Amino acid sequence: MAAAQKRDYYEVLGVARSASEDDIKKAFRRLARQYHPDVNKDHDAEARFKEVNEAYEVLSDPQKRQMYDQFGHAGPGMGAGPGFENFGFGGFSDIFQTFFGGQTGAGGRRGPQRGSDLRYNLTLTFEEAVFGSEKELEIPRADTCPSCHGSGAEPGTEPSRCPSCNGTGELRRVQQSIFGQFVNVIMCDRCQGEGRVISTPCHECRGGGRVRVTKHVGLKVPGGVDTGSQIRLTGEGEAGPRGGANGNLYVAITVRKHQFFERDGQDILYTLPINFAQAALGDEIEVPTVDGKVVLKIPAGTQGGKVFRLKDKGVPNVRGAGRGDQHVFVKVVTPTELSGKERELFEQLRGIAKKQPQPSEKHDKSGIFEKVKEGLGL
């Protein structure tokens, strides 16, 4: 059907636009039974079955459904309607397998299966996460047996055809149901769908086709990763049975907390403690950054909570587009223990602060600040 002739997907399934995922699945199962070509012999049953399947493929996927609700059939990814075989069910057989627990129609011997994916938890220091690092991981996994190359048979021997399924990997049984008679195809339990059996198992893998090994895998961690980041290493998972492709290795990142720094996206946060004299009179202070120490000028009269920005001293973008900044938060620290000289200077300062300020007193006040600075050794 051309895109302009397509019916509304909600209309095809007979559900409202507000239908839940459960409602959509129930409607699909009902219509799939009704129009399945092995059950319904009407000339348009197959076309209706494909239409129902296409509607379900879109409405059962939250992202595709949102796109369809917004743009209809003209939405991105909607296209003119792919064929039935492209919806992930593999044809009429798999759709019954998925929803009704059986299969109908012809099938084939099960091919090599993909290996399992693996997960590795990697902990990095704050600096390693910021600038990146290179690691060597030790991964215990199943690898293809080097002796039989995954066949499971002892070298020099060959697997034989399964006598139960005659090499098809399937057993067919005729069953009666409420829809009438149909052929139920199940996997052969003797060869597990392989279509062959091993008479002489490999001495190294005992017929499994795989052996346990510890694999050393190099990993380049890009700068800018953070806790929760995940790196995929394609093909570094477990080998598939009977020569199947390897799965993937997923490296989950955790970053240790830093003694001084905190991270906010690409920015680094640092709290700088200063005393009253530094806040009142100003100062130049060395501030740590991930690139080394820098000198920060504190203006006279700086208040607690003041924030200074050190441009491009933050975290690099993990995709390589620039760096964040470092934000320095000023914290004015009240002393808890005073020397005799410090107490004397603070008493003098308190006495001056209690007086009504006069124009002639400005110079004297500045002089007291200098005495405080001298007494504190600044």
Side-chain angles (χ1 to χ4, degrees):
M1 288 185 292
Q5 298 173 332
K6 283 187 179 181
R7 289 201 298 156
D8 179 78
Y9 286 149
Y10 292 97
E11 179 187 341
V12 171
L13 295 183
V15 296
R17 287 189 169 269
S18 59
S20 66
E21 290 183 18
D22 239 15
D23 293 336
I24 289 172
K25 179 176 282 190
K26 287 177 182 176
F28 171 72
R29 293 182 65 170
R30 175 177 55 81
L31 293 170
R33 288 191 182 101
Q34 180 180 348
Y35 292 112
H36 193 284
D38 284 357
V39 176
N40 192 325
K41 301 303 180 182
D42 291 346
H43 71 280
D44 63 342
E46 182 175 342
R48 293 295 301 275
F49 189 69
K50 290 181 180 180
E51 183 184 41
V52 167
N53 180 69
E54 181 180 331
Y56 178 75
E57 192 271 339
V58 172
L59 299 185
S60 63
D61 184 306
Q63 291 183 338
K64 290 182 181 179
R65 182 178 180 180
Q66 182 181 4
M67 195 68 67
Y68 176 73
D69 287 345
Q70 188 172 357
F71 299 105
H73 292 296
M78 296 298 111
F84 176 73
E85 295 290 335
N86 294 331
F87 286 120
F89 293 102
F92 298 150
S93 300
D94 287 348
I95 201 169
F96 256 57
Q97 173 67 25
T98 301
F99 287 96
F100 312 131
Q103 291 183 329
T104 60
R109 186 169 61 190
R110 189 176 65 177
Q113 294 176 287
R114 180 177 174 273
S116 300
D117 293 334
L118 297 176
R119 174 189 170 100
Y120 184 93
N121 297 320
L122 178 63
T123 300
L124 302 173
T125 65
F126 192 90
E127 289 79 7
E128 285 176 330
V130 170
F131 295 113
S133 63
E134 293 187 4
K135 298 288 184 179
E136 185 175 274
L137 313 179
E138 290 189 357
I139 310 296
R141 73 183 194 191
D143 250 2
T144 301
C145 174
S147 179
C148 67
H149 305 292
S151 71
E154 181 68 16
T157 68
E158 293 288 339
S160 57
R161 180 182 296 179
C162 175
S164 296
C165 64
N166 199 30
T168 65
E170 298 174 340
L171 299 176
R172 297 166 179 265
R173 295 170 183 162
V174 178
Q175 291 185 341
Q176 294 289 337
S177 75
I178 58 174
F179 306 114
Q181 187 183 74
F182 66 94
V183 177
N184 185 28
V185 181
I186 62 173
M187 182 179 68
C188 177
D189 54 0
R190 180 166 181 176
C191 66
Q192 300 299 311
E194 295 289 338
R196 57 183 187 171
V197 291
I198 298 172
S199 305
T200 309
C202 172
H203 68 279
E204 189 163 340
C205 65
R206 298 181 181 180
R210 297 182 295 176
V211 292
R212 299 300 300 180
V213 300
T214 298
K215 179 79 172 180
H216 293 264
V217 179
L219 172 67
K220 187 172 182 179
V221 180
V225 297
D226 200 359
T227 295
S229 298
Q230 186 169 262
I231 302 173
R232 182 181 69 183
L233 298 179
T234 303
E236 293 294 350
E238 296 200 324
R242 301 292 187 265
N246 281 45
N248 299 325
L249 172 63
Y250 293 90
V251 181
I253 303 295
T254 300
V255 181
R256 293 195 190 102
K257 289 187 176 181
H258 195 274
Q259 184 179 1
F260 307 117
F261 301 132
E262 292 183 24
R263 181 170 170 177
D264 181 16
Q266 286 183 251
D267 292 333
I268 292 176
L269 314 180
Y270 173 73
T271 299
L272 175 66
I274 63 174
N275 59 44
F276 286 134
Q278 290 171 309
L281 304 175
D283 201 357
E284 291 187 355
I285 304 175
E286 281 191 341
V287 174
T289 74
V290 291
D291 296 307
K293 292 183 178 180
V294 299
V295 176
L296 177 64
K297 185 175 181 179
I298 305 294
T302 294
Q303 303 295 310
K306 172 71 175 177
V307 181
F308 296 93
R309 185 180 73 152
L310 302 179
K311 187 173 175 58
D312 294 330
K313 295 297 182 182
V315 180
N317 187 305
V318 73
R319 293 180 176 83
R323 288 181 67 173
D325 303 320
Q326 178 168 320
H327 300 278
V328 180
F329 293 79
V330 172
K331 179 181 180 181
V332 180
V333 179
T334 302
T336 56
E337 296 182 4
L338 297 173
S339 67
K341 181 65 174 177
E342 289 171 337
R343 180 173 293 277
E344 179 184 345
L345 291 172
F346 274 114
E347 290 288 352
Q348 292 181 48
L349 180 61
R350 182 170 63 179
I352 293 175
K354 285 182 178 180
K355 296 179 182 180
Q356 184 69 25
Q358 299 293 331
S360 60
E361 292 178 335
K362 288 183 180 179
H363 179 73
D364 294 337
K365 188 173 182 180
S366 175
I368 290 295
F369 280 147
E370 290 299 325
K371 289 180 181 179
V372 172
K373 186 173 181 181
E374 180 182 349
L376 295 176
L378 300 174

